[in-house]
Amino acid sequence: MNDMPQKPIALFDMQAQQSLIRAKLDARIAHVLSSGRFINGPEVVELEERLAAFAGCGHAVGVSSGTDALQIAMMAEGIGRGDAVFLPAFTYTATAEVPLVLGATPVFCDVDPLTFNMDLADLQRRIALVEAEGRLRPRAVVGVDLFGRPADWPAIEAICAAKNMFALDDAAQAFGGDIGGRRLGCFAGATALSFYPTKTLGCYGDGGALLTQDADRAALYRSLRTHGEGGGRYEVLRTGMNGRLDTLQAAILLCKLDLFEEELAARTRVAGWYAQHLDGTVALPEIIPGHAWGLYTIKLEDAAARARMQEALKAAGIPFGVYYPKPLHHQPAYAAAHAGSIGQAPPLPVSEALCHEVMSLPMHPYLEEGDVARVAAAVRAAA
Ligand SMILES: *Cc1c(COP(=O)(O)O)cnc(C)c1O
């Protein structure tokens, strides 16, 4: 160890990016301030056009958060009481919260131990159990592209098509990801994005979007995000919500979109450096084309090994995160819904184990190979 003070490494870094686009941000923000069009300003429309073009999906609708994107998509399908919504037990809370808010029942599915995405054999087993019980109607599958790795969308779409269920992509962690060159946004009936500051494309507050290839759905989403309004401002066609993306956040996102492709490439480089520097030490995420690398999540042998790794990284001044420490079916708020979803629900062993085994290392486009080497050295020393 030398005595040179070392540059701190951030888990996520929003400052490095900001310094690159600061002049553009200032100009865009100043323009919104002087225009006074804080809601539904032209920047929102411009952003929607650019998001749709980027994803190649036809339509993008700016909304107030990733959570509201999920909610608006489910409201548009009329999902509610008596409906079963299948989703992974190992994901962020919002994925399960939304069906409950709408009166529907989340059915938690286990995940694959290597991809951390929904285990589709388990999904099909649970759909069959719900069908056999006949109490709830299988209505929708919410696939999550966890940590930026696209779920197996062609397979999820096929399952949903066979059962006449709605497929909803929770791509909150994965915008920019693709499958065989087709970007997320082109799969499922709708794709929900979050622009929470630490996501692959983040704003400076809350924001989100819905992507869809269906013009009718896009029109419905626009109505729902504005209290269900119809053609005229004060005509209310349906029960909606206040779920708009504000103009300032759209202006900020437009500046950030200019860097987005480069940043995705930089994230892929960072993942490659981790793979080189950590090879053979701990279980690493598989490098696949189209991974958006929202998070870089390693897996330790067990809870004790993870605790040791956490202590070692803390001592070395390396930040990390644990996504997620508790599977959703064990959350106090969701336990009752889980118990009421399927009479004899099969266990969720992979989701439960991963909560004790995973941890996420620093991942952002402005990490240099030397930073990754420092993180890797600390991990190697403790592995
Ligand atoms: C962040 C996130 C959300 C919610 O997005 P918000 O913009 O914070 O509402 C939903 N699902 C997943 C998987 C997420 O990571």
Side-chain angles (χ1 to χ4, degrees), residues 64-70 91-97 144-147 170-174 192-199 205-208 295 324:
S64 41
S65 69
T67 307
D68 291 342
L70 293 169
T91 177
Y92 184 58
T93 179
T95 320
E97 172 185 23
V144 179
D145 310 300
L146 202 71
F147 306 145
D170 180 347
Q173 301 181 6
L193 305 182
S194 166
F195 302 132
Y196 184 81
T198 59
K199 310 282 177 160
D206 278 312
L295 286 161
Y324 295 90

Side-chain angles (χ1 to χ4, degrees), residues 249-306:
Q249 298 304 340
I252 288 158
L253 287 163
L254 282 165
C255 303
K256 291 186 167 213
L257 256 182
D258 292 342
L259 296 177
F260 190 50
E261 299 238 27
E262 278 169 54
E263 290 185 343
L264 288 167
R267 286 175 184 274
T268 302
R269 275 199 303 279
V270 170
W273 290 330
Y274 272 126
Q276 282 169 27
H277 288 267
L278 284 173
D279 189 33
T281 47
V282 293
L284 306 178
E286 188 187 0
I287 306 249
I288 57 154
H291 199 310
W293 298 109
L295 286 161
Y296 188 86
T297 303
I298 62 171
K299 190 168 78 164
L300 287 304
E301 298 253 294
D302 53 26
R306 187 178 71 182

Side-chain angles (χ1 to χ4, degrees), residues 323-383:
Y323 310 99
Y324 295 90
K326 205 190 262 270
L328 292 183
H329 61 292
H330 287 175
Q331 289 290 359
Y334 306 143
H338 175 55
S341 64
I342 297 176
Q344 291 293 319
L348 296 147
V350 180
S351 299
E352 289 171 15
L354 289 177
C355 290
H356 298 290
E357 294 166 353
V358 295
M359 58 192 289
S360 301
L361 302 179
M363 171 49 88
H364 61 77
Y366 301 96
L367 285 168
E368 292 168 0
E369 186 167 9
D371 301 325
V372 172
R374 266 168 65 198
V375 176
V379 171
R380 294 186 84 96

Side-chain angles (χ1 to χ4, degrees), residues 39-40 44 48 60-73 75 193 195 206-210 220-229 239-247 249:
I39 300 290
N40 288 340
V44 175
E48 289 175 342
V61 179
V63 297
S64 41
S65 69
T67 307
D68 291 342
L70 293 169
Q71 181 163 336
I72 288 169
M75 287 170 87
L193 305 182
F195 302 132
D206 278 312
L210 276 162
L220 200 45
Y221 299 159
R222 288 180 202 286
S223 168
L224 286 166
R225 74 174 172 185
T226 313
H227 306 289
E229 75 176 19
T239 306
M241 60 193 283
N242 179 357
R244 293 175 296 248
L245 177 70
D246 69 68
T247 310
Q249 298 304 340

